[in-house]
Amino acid sequence: EAANSVAELKAASMHSELVKSILRLSMDKNDESRKQVVDLIASLCVRAAIEATDVEAGVELILKQLSDILLDVPKAKEYVAHFVAHFIDDRILPEEFLKSVPEMSGAEVGKSVVELVNGLMKLPLQVTITKQKIREIVQEYFVSDDLQETEARLTELKAGRLGHEVVKRVLVEALEKKNRERERASVLLSALTRDYGTEQFFEGFTKVLRSIDDLALDTPNVAEVLGNFIARAIVDDVLPPVFLDLVPERVGVSERGGHVVAHVKGLLEQHSSTRIMNVWGTGAKESVDELKDSVKTLVEEYFVEGELNEAVRCVQELEAPFFGHEVVKRIVYLGVERGGDGLGQSQKLVKALLDSGSLQKSQLTMGMGRVVMGLSDLSLDVPDAQTRFDSLTDMFIADGTLPSSFKAHTAAIRA
């Protein structure tokens, strides 16, 4: 609401004056109110309602008037020191800002403020301690995979308004990891909706978006990965559907920011919620039962829709090459059950999977062996299952999918 109000003012040239006024008013309030003001200004920066340069200019105005303010607020030096320390810790103010403080506030007062700031920075600040603990808890989560314990530790931390730091840390840590860990990150973010409000998630995701160029140095495909996280968060009700409309314009128009926005819109417009729920690949969910269900669903959809390339892509997204035998078994079973054109569909899909490198020869042999072992049961529902399977085997041998020696292999299995 505050960000919208600032935007409605349409007075960017007055933002530094706004920062000065907010900080000055907070000096007449209690410690909690001053902390809220610092958080508010930091949030306005995250949302690009104001710029870091506006904060710097606003603080400079306070420093230049500090001697006069001290007449009414004896503890003004301590308050200003806290403001500066927090803004430096949040990287809103550069560390070299301290060098100019004596010039702005006068040698004696300025020196005192600098000493106070340095003292606070050495403590370190509570916000710094909390951020470090957040980092440790999140890193340990990716090792332990203990969702309940991680959520409990973060709750005990009472990060409160620093919830956006938790969100940011989860995303940043997950960017460089594999899809299995990214799935865990999405699950954790969903669980944290019990502890943090929408605002914290909005700011956390926006902070990562604003850092996308730096993150690209270690994660070249950061736009795609972050886009996946955003789309998944929207489907999980972690972020509101209008998130992209609320993202600061200057973030969305940057090259990589634009790629993120386009990727998210593409996912939301072209794919179902179920598909986006599996954006990290069904294999990332680890459960064998879940993998079996996914294989069953994608194969059934292929036989109904006939979309060969889509079926191959879905198998690739499973990221479970060790599960290829289940894919083969399901394809052959359905082909045998349907007979006729169904056998041709089975042949085409298995060959396409082999040609694309999505299926290993060893997995094909294992899967076919499992079908042979289960033919007696299948024959209870499909009396001529054996005949249909033999026909499909001949088709596989004819197109080079299987070696001619496979028939001898099946005979040995049956024996």
Side-chain angles (χ1 to χ4, degrees):
E1 184 64 32
N4 290 335
S5 297
V6 171
E8 288 172 3
L9 289 174
K10 295 181 179 180
S13 61
M14 296 298 291
H15 286 173
S16 59
E17 190 68 33
L18 176 64
V19 172
K20 184 203 79 172
S21 298
I22 294 174
L23 293 176
R24 175 62 187 87
L25 286 171
S26 73
M27 292 185 196
D28 297 322
K29 308 295 181 181
N30 56 31
D31 289 344
E32 181 60 25
S33 295
R34 281 188 291 278
K35 185 178 184 303
Q36 290 177 1
V37 162
V38 171
D39 290 337
L40 171 62
I41 292 174
S43 294
L44 290 175
C45 281
V46 170
R47 293 167 177 270
I50 60 176
E51 294 293 331
T53 51
D54 297 324
V55 179
E56 185 171 351
V59 174
E60 286 180 1
L61 292 173
I62 286 285
L63 286 167
K64 289 176 181 178
Q65 299 173 11
L66 188 53
S67 294
D68 293 334
I69 296 173
L70 282 166
L71 299 175
D72 298 317
V73 186
K75 289 189 175 182
K77 286 189 294 186
E78 288 86 345
Y79 299 156
V80 171
H82 273 88
F83 296 152
V84 173
H86 276 279
F87 290 145
I88 289 177
D89 191 73
D90 267 343
R91 298 187 179 180
I92 295 173
L93 291 180
E95 289 186 19
E96 55 267 24
F97 179 82
L98 285 178
K99 296 178 181 178
S100 59
V101 170
E103 182 181 344
M104 290 182 279
S105 299
E108 185 176 345
V109 173
K111 180 182 178 183
S112 180
V113 170
V114 171
E115 289 175 350
L116 287 168
V117 173
N118 285 331
L120 288 168
M121 297 299 287
K122 289 177 182 177
L123 286 179
L125 292 173
Q126 183 58 46
V127 65
T128 307
I129 296 173
T130 303
K131 285 181 180 180
Q132 181 57 38
K133 289 181 178 177
I134 289 171
R135 181 192 293 266
E136 292 171 359
I137 292 171
V138 172
Q139 288 177 339
E140 288 175 16
Y141 168 67
F142 286 113
V143 174
S144 69
D145 194 26
D146 192 330
L147 178 64
Q148 188 173 353
E149 173 67 16
T150 301
E151 187 180 359
R153 291 179 66 191
L154 289 171
T155 301
E156 290 172 4
L157 195 57
K158 295 180 180 179
R161 295 185 188 87
L162 279 177
H164 59 86
E165 283 294 332
V166 176
V167 174
K168 184 189 82 170
R169 180 50 51 191
V170 171
L171 291 171
V172 170
E173 292 289 337
L175 286 177
E176 298 181 34
K177 298 187 182 297
K178 296 184 181 297
N179 283 348
R180 198 176 301 276
E181 286 80 12
R182 291 167 182 165
E183 171 64 25
R184 293 178 187 173
S186 289
V187 171
L188 177 57
L189 290 173
S190 182
L192 290 175
T193 56
R194 294 188 285 261
D195 303 290
Y196 306 129
T198 302
E199 292 293 307
Q200 301 299 330
F201 289 98
F202 179 89
E203 291 188 16
F205 272 88
T206 303
K207 270 194 166 187
V208 177
L209 264 173
R210 288 172 67 92
S211 304
I212 193 168
D213 288 332
D214 293 333
L215 294 170
L217 297 175
D218 296 316
T219 310
N221 64 333
V222 65
E224 178 185 351
V225 177
L226 186 53
N228 287 348
F229 268 118
I230 293 172
R232 172 67 180 271
I234 290 174
V235 169
D236 283 344
D237 291 327
V238 172
L239 290 175
V242 294
F243 172 75
L244 292 179
D245 297 328
L246 301 175
V247 170
E249 183 178 353
R250 60 177 62 89
V251 175
V253 297
S254 68
E255 183 177 358
R256 288 193 177 89
H259 289 165
V260 172
V261 172
H263 184 62
V264 175
K265 287 183 176 178
L267 286 173
L268 295 176
E269 291 171 1
Q270 299 171 25
H271 302 289
S272 65
S273 295
T274 302
R275 164 75 194 286
I276 296 173
M277 285 290 289
N278 293 324
V279 73
W280 302 122
T282 312
K285 294 183 181 296
E286 295 187 337
S287 166
V288 171
D289 288 337
E290 285 183 321
L291 279 173
K292 284 185 176 180
D293 287 342
S294 296
V295 169
K296 182 173 182 286
T297 299
L298 76 86
V299 173
E300 287 176 346
E301 287 182 357
Y302 163 69
F303 276 92
V304 172
E305 303 294 337
E307 294 289 340
L308 183 63
N309 291 335
E310 177 69 7
V312 171
R313 185 187 58 73
C314 287
V315 171
Q316 291 171 338
E317 286 188 351
L318 289 176
E319 291 192 340
F322 59 88
F323 217 61
H325 58 85
E326 178 70 21
V327 176
V328 172
K329 188 192 88 167
R330 184 60 58 183
I331 293 171
V332 174
Y333 265 25
L334 271 181
V336 169
E337 286 175 0
R338 288 170 175 263
D341 291 341
L343 298 178
Q345 283 185 283
S346 293
Q347 178 193 22
K348 288 178 182 178
L349 181 51
V350 170
K351 182 168 177 52
L353 290 172
L354 283 171
D355 290 345
S356 66
S358 307
L359 176 66
Q360 299 171 2
K361 282 278 189 179
S362 60
Q363 292 292 316
L364 170 60
T365 303
M366 188 186 304
M368 292 293 286
R370 290 182 62 196
V371 174
V372 172
M373 296 289 288
L375 273 178
S376 58
D377 291 333
L378 185 58
S379 295
L380 297 176
D381 298 316
V382 184
D384 61 342
Q386 182 66 61
T387 301
R388 294 182 184 183
F389 176 73
D390 288 341
S391 295
L392 182 56
T393 300
D394 289 337
M395 294 165 68
F396 282 149
I397 292 174
D399 70 7
T401 297
L402 288 173
S404 56
S405 59
F406 183 76
K407 282 194 172 183
H409 177 65
T410 59
I413 295 175
R414 289 170 186 160

